[in-house]
Amino acid sequence: MNDTISLLMNHRSVRKYTDRPVTQEQLEAIVAAGQMASSSSNVQAYTVVAVTEPELKNKLADYAGNQAYIRECPVFLVWCADLSRLKNAADTHAPEARSYEGAVENFVVATVDVALASQNAAVAAESLGLGIVYIGGIRNDIEGVSEALGLPDHVYPVFGMCVGYPDPQHGAGLRPRLPLEAVLHMNGYNAEQSRRGVEAYDETVVRYISERTGGQRTSSWSEQMAAKLTAPSRLQLRAFLESKGFNRE
Amino acid sequence: MNDTISLLMNHRSVRKYTDRPVTQEQLEAIVAAGQMASSSSNVQAYTVVAVTEPELKNKLADYAGNQAYIRECPVFLVWCADLSRLKNAADTHAPEARSYEGAVENFVVATVDVALASQNAAVAAESLGLGIVYIGGIRNDIEGVSEALGLPDHVYPVFGMCVGYPDPQHGAGLRPRLPLEAVLHMNGYNAEQSRRGVEAYDETVVRYISERTGGQRTSSWSEQMAAKLTAPSRLQLRAFLESKGFNRE
């Protein structure tokens, strides 16, 4: 154990912020730390749009399902997968060649690249005493978000991230995770470990939520996941991504 | 600046390791730190297979384009996007309902989830004095990797990660990144900032490589990216993912 691991182990999503601003210097330190994450073949296939203008932030909050913390946080980061720099490079230096920005491989590369950078940034932010929460909700109306930010072709907004000083009056508990045995397998996939882990976790989650809600009956993790997976999942995403040049082949 | 940001800013990929083993306790601490990363709606859609058996490690090294560091590192982690726990939950608790594990949305969710966890794990490993390198090469023969690890449906191996103590005789320099202005835009996408940043970076990269190779002529970043984007990019990935139940709708 050390201070960095202790910081990682104490992560919780923050959805209530104080008025204290995030300085430009902090923002730049956070994103610079993000940039030092590994990148596939050094493609650095991401751009982060930092939104501080209240009107634009409000618009994005509407698109993301009206989440108040997007309005209230001082800085809202929109993490975008960005193959446009690569596409421009190919157009300039290999104008005759066929290029593969539409391959699912490059869709995966860009999506992973942006996620690695964002997680480094999240850790950097928390090390400065700031709190964050990831916002997948920007994919609810991904076309609206994309237009509001003026995103060109070969760029798509993957997720948002609120950043700000946590309101100490709204401290959230540490949410328990799946038991380690469910997600760490040795020398081969072990479905039985996964199954046992989920069984134990189902009980943990019921106990955890029940304790925090004063004994109200709640669903297990498996029940929550069943409900999630059987709800239509942003099915317009496929056509949007293709229209932007991603995931075409 | 603080110790954690300083750790993040000093990341470099490590491709040469000493014989010193990684203990099971370290491995578990690293993966547990990974688990504390944010997860979309708490789906925790990933499994990491830790490979320590030399024969299996050699096999994976072959599949990944014969990279010696996969053979030589004491632990090779294969980070898998895993929707199988969700699919099992849906089959158990909502057997009559249609489920959406094949939606591109859930493909993105699982891919982002595993990347966030892996980056936390990478930071934890480095905080313990270990070194890591991400291995996208496991997607070269993703079917071979998948079979060797016995991965079931709704699971795909996204990338590998070598972990071990860095050989001090092979210290690598810090690789310069794109200028901040290229990747951090305020309140909207700014293609001109991106363009200017790439222009400056092209010169930085030529100078950096030239200095490290004793003045040999080298290509700029844009030229490297043009070459990369015009090379066929693991085009078999699409069919493999579909066969595993991902990215189908």
Side-chain angles (χ1 to χ4, degrees), chain B residues 45-75:
Chain B
Y46 52 82
T47 294
V48 53
V49 180
V51 180
T52 54
E53 285 172 3
E55 244 177 77
L56 184 54
K57 214 145 36 87
N58 286 342
K59 206 175 199 178
L60 297 178
D62 289 344
Y63 290 139
N66 200 18
Q67 296 174 322
Y69 27 102
I70 302 180
R71 293 179 212 284
E72 293 165 6
C73 68
V75 182

Side-chain angles (χ1 to χ4, degrees), chain B residues 101-173:
Chain B
E101 64 282 355
V104 68
E105 162 69 12
N106 285 321
F107 175 48
V108 169
V109 160
T111 304
V112 168
D113 249 37
V114 69
L116 301 186
S118 76
Q119 186 54 23
N120 251 18
V123 171
E126 291 181 348
S127 80
L128 294 169
L130 295 159
I132 64 108
V133 59
Y134 278 86
I135 306 290
I138 63 160
R139 296 193 302 275
N140 287 352
D141 187 348
I142 194 165
E143 192 144 11
V145 169
S146 185
E147 275 175 30
L149 299 178
L151 302 184
D153 284 349
H154 315 298
V155 179
Y156 89 94
V158 189
F159 44 75
M161 183 187 281
C162 300
V163 184
Y165 283 95
D167 184 338
Q169 312 234 295
H170 290 76

Side-chain angles (χ1 to χ4, degrees), chain B residues 211-222:
Chain B
E211 273 165 17
R212 289 161 51 92
T213 55
Q216 275 179 38
R217 219 186 108 53
T218 180
S219 54
S220 70
W221 183 77
S222 289

Side-chain angles (χ1 to χ4, degrees), chain A residues 48 50 82 177 183 187 189, chain B residues 35 48 50 82 105 183 187 189:
Chain A
V48 53
D82 189 342
R177 298 304 199 267
V183 303
N187 295 300
Y189 195 90
Chain B
Q35 286 189 275
V48 53
D82 190 342
E105 162 69 12
V183 302
N187 294 301
Y189 195 90

Side-chain angles (χ1 to χ4, degrees), chain A residues 17-175:
Chain A
Y17 301 93
T18 69
D19 290 338
R20 187 170 163 197
V22 174
T23 66
Q24 187 68 20
E25 195 188 351
Q26 286 175 319
L27 175 60
E28 292 181 0
I30 290 165
V31 175
Q35 287 190 275
M36 290 309 293
S38 295
S39 164
S40 179
S41 303
N42 197 30
V43 295
Q44 303 176 69
Y46 52 82
T47 294
V48 53
V49 180
V51 179
T52 53
E53 284 172 4
E55 244 177 77
L56 184 54
K57 214 144 37 86
N58 285 342
K59 204 175 200 180
L60 296 179
D62 290 343
Y63 289 140
N66 200 18
Q67 297 174 322
Y69 27 104
I70 302 179
R71 292 179 213 286
E72 292 165 7
C73 67
V75 182
F76 184 60
L77 301 179
V78 182
W79 291 91
C80 304
D82 189 342
L83 292 172
S84 76
R85 285 184 290 261
L86 272 65
K87 178 65 174 150
N88 291 340
D91 288 349
T92 303
H93 297 287
E96 309 288 302
R98 173 171 175 355
S99 62
Y100 292 90
E101 64 282 355
V104 68
E105 162 69 12
N106 286 320
F107 175 49
V108 169
V109 160
T111 303
V112 168
D113 248 38
V114 70
L116 301 186
S118 76
Q119 186 54 25
N120 251 19
V123 171
E126 292 181 348
S127 80
L128 294 170
L130 295 160
I132 65 109
V133 60
Y134 278 86
I135 307 290
I138 62 160
R139 297 192 301 275
N140 286 353
D141 187 347
I142 195 166
E143 191 143 12
V145 169
S146 184
E147 273 175 31
L149 299 179
L151 303 184
D153 284 349
H154 315 298
V155 179
Y156 89 92
V158 188
F159 44 75
M161 183 187 283
C162 300
V163 183
Y165 283 94
D167 183 338
Q169 312 233 296
H170 288 77
L174 275 183
R175 198 211 288 253

Side-chain angles (χ1 to χ4, degrees), chain A residues 187-230:
Chain A
N187 295 300
Y189 195 90
N190 187 329
E192 177 52 25
Q193 265 183 240
S194 242
R195 200 198 54 72
R196 273 204 315 267
V198 168
E199 209 172 86
Y201 189 53
D202 276 342
E203 290 178 25
T204 306
V205 166
V206 168
R207 205 164 45 235
Y208 172 76
I209 300 182
S210 167
E211 273 165 18
R212 289 160 49 93
T213 56
Q216 275 179 39
R217 217 186 110 53
T218 178
S219 54
S220 69
W221 183 77
S222 289
E223 287 166 318
Q224 293 166 23
M225 293 302 110
K228 185 174 161 54
L229 201 66
T230 54

